[in-house]
Amino acid sequence: MSSESLLQTIGITKPGPVHWNRGTAALYEEAIKRGEGVIAEGGPLVCQTGIHTGRSPNDKFLVQEPSSQDNVWWGTVNRPIDVEQFRALKETTLASLKGKELFVQDCFAGADPSYRLPVRIITECAWHSLFARTMFLPLPADTEPSQHVPEFTVIDVPSVEADPAVHGTNSGVFIVVDFSQRLVLIGGTSYAGEIKKSIFTVMNYLLPLRDVFPMHCSANIGEKGDAALFFGLSGTGKTTLSSVPNRRLIGDDEHGWSNRGVFNFEGGCYAKMIQLSPEAEPQIYATTRRFGTVLENVVINPATHALDLDDASLTENTRGAYPISFIDNSVPSGQGGHPETIVMLTADAFGVMPPVAKLTPAAAMYHFMSGYTAKVAGTEKGITEPKATFSTCFGAPFMVWHPNVYARQLGERIAKHKSRVWLINTGWTGGGYGIGRRISIEHTRAIVDAALSGALDGVTFERDEVFNVDVPIQCPNVPSEILRPRSTWSHAADYDAQAGTLAGMFTKNFKMFESEADVEVVGAGPR
């Protein structure tokens, strides 16, 4: 079947020139020629995404159709759009592609051959095609397009906008998934992360049907083959703490846990670049000086093309996409065994949660369903003081089933494989944001090292009665007073008041899950 016929099968007719599975150098050339980006000092391609510098969660929809509608947890995250609205939106999108130059990437999501999803990414931007080629797993060399049978297709057309009155959207931006047609439509936004996260959403729906647990986490593996998972929302240190010289990186963001172990969904990494430090994050920092890295909204000197990673004038959410092979000690197969250690990261800006606590399986499920962190001033417009954020499963925008489905998958695997689970706070101590100080990266790394090595297994623990967790009284290379956050505050009564307030926030948030959660899980939360 010809390339043109392959596009006709999904309704794309009479396009302009089609660039199929172009390599990195060729896509660089096309992006520069089309004015989509510039080459910075050291070789990365730097592109800007315009007014949309992050995901648009209020513009993401799932088609409400018979094959999937009974499985979806409908609500503010999974918004429905009806079949006719999607049909009209698809017609509008496909019509816009007539005579238009297109870029196609055939690739896979999922490093484990037993569970990988063949995908086809069709874009109007060369740099979006390079992003897709970087983030997903490539086809074997010399594979013909006709040999690749995609089970999901993404059509990404930033120049097309929806009409809310016709298409049922909130704005001109749309990210819409139809599980029956196995199709994703993206328009009105140039933020490349929408491509990556739309396929993650698809994997989060399909894999539980095959008894595979999809996870928004990073993963690495030690010298003895001991795998570890790191859950955490943006800003908690998930990428930084998993990309370390003494452990090999399986992946930095999206994984599955099957009956054989964990596997990466991707072939690339997508890291925040703002204020990246060569001292604290040497491996990630090095990728910003390499040909093949795609940087989004990073400011460069117009004369020298030198990068300024500290400049947030375009957005705090500066991003870099790079092949995982750029990390020297990455795992080429993207696979590992069953995790011996699970780390759940939070950045508590209220300064009251312990830097490290051991979680029971029930408590692990509770904190997994809660997905807590805190945003601080400067991270979002209008935030002037710490704000509690709860994102279920540490990735609410991408979870399709009810959170309890994923939590039970986690609980079953923890019990079966006897994984140790730790809650680690990378946030504040000695007071909340603006009063206390951020827990140092050196102390956090020491805590993580102790958790992974088993050094915490034999120490004495004390019960934190407010947060209902067990806290070690000592940890190698960490001052003991830091482990008890109450002792770091100037006034214990202030700590007690703030800790009680945050515990109440946990309880209030968990109300939405109580009817589906097990009694032991409900009782494992803060008091």
Side-chain angles (χ1 to χ4, degrees), residues 397-408:
F398 324 114
M399 302 300 158
V400 181
W401 298 79
H402 189 283
N404 202 47
V405 171
Y406 304 107
R408 282 187 172 142

Side-chain angles (χ1 to χ4, degrees), residues 263-465:
F263 62 94
N264 192 1
F265 288 171
E266 301 177 307
C269 300
Y270 193 43
K272 290 190 76 169
M273 294 286 141
I274 195 68
Q275 298 180 344
L276 201 66
S277 163
E279 292 77 30
E281 301 99 359
Q283 295 202 79
I284 303 172
Y285 183 87
T287 69
T288 67
R289 270 64 182 170
R290 293 192 61 167
F291 177 84
T293 293
V294 182
L295 298 176
E296 290 178 300
N297 301 313
V298 174
V299 175
I300 66 171
N301 184 302
T304 66
H305 282 209
L307 298 171
D308 185 350
L309 298 179
D310 295 326
D311 191 330
S313 58
L314 294 176
T315 177
E316 287 272 348
N317 189 40
T318 55
R319 289 275 178 176
Y322 50 89
I324 194 170
S325 60
F326 282 10
I327 302 298
D328 293 336
N329 55 343
S330 61
V331 178
S333 70
Q335 300 178 68
H338 298 291
E340 294 184 13
T341 306
I342 298 173
V343 175
M344 296 184 181
L345 298 165
T346 182
D348 174 35
F350 298 102
V352 292
M353 294 191 73
V356 56
K358 182 170 64 175
L359 300 182
T360 64
M365 293 171 67
Y366 181 96
H367 284 279
F368 178 70
M369 293 178 76
S370 297
Y372 165 71
T373 194
K375 295 178 180 178
V376 298
T379 58
E380 276 189 12
K381 184 178 179 181
I383 294 181
T384 58
E385 58 185 28
K387 179 182 178 182
T389 299
F390 295 93
S391 183
T392 186
C393 307
F394 294 99
F398 324 114
M399 302 300 158
V400 181
W401 298 79
H402 189 283
N404 202 47
V405 171
Y406 304 107
R408 282 187 172 142
Q409 286 190 301
L410 172 65
E412 289 166 359
R413 283 157 176 77
I414 290 172
K416 183 176 180 179
H417 302 289
K418 298 179 172 56
S419 305
R420 299 170 298 194
V421 187
W422 301 93
L423 181 65
I424 294 180
N425 174 23
T426 63
W428 275 254
T429 187
Y433 175 81
I435 298 174
R437 66 187 185 282
R438 188 99 190 235
I439 298 169
S440 73
I441 185 66
E442 291 79 15
H443 289 156
T444 297
R445 286 195 188 281
I447 290 169
V448 172
D449 287 345
L452 294 175
S453 69
L456 293 178
D457 292 350
V459 304
T460 301
F461 288 81
E462 290 182 347
R463 192 71 176 168
D464 185 314
E465 296 297 340

Side-chain angles (χ1 to χ4, degrees), residues 134-152:
T134 302
M135 292 309 306
F136 297 113
L137 295 156
L139 296 180
D142 302 322
T143 303
E144 293 295 326
S146 60
Q147 296 176 283
H148 183 74
V149 182
E151 294 182 18
F152 243 93

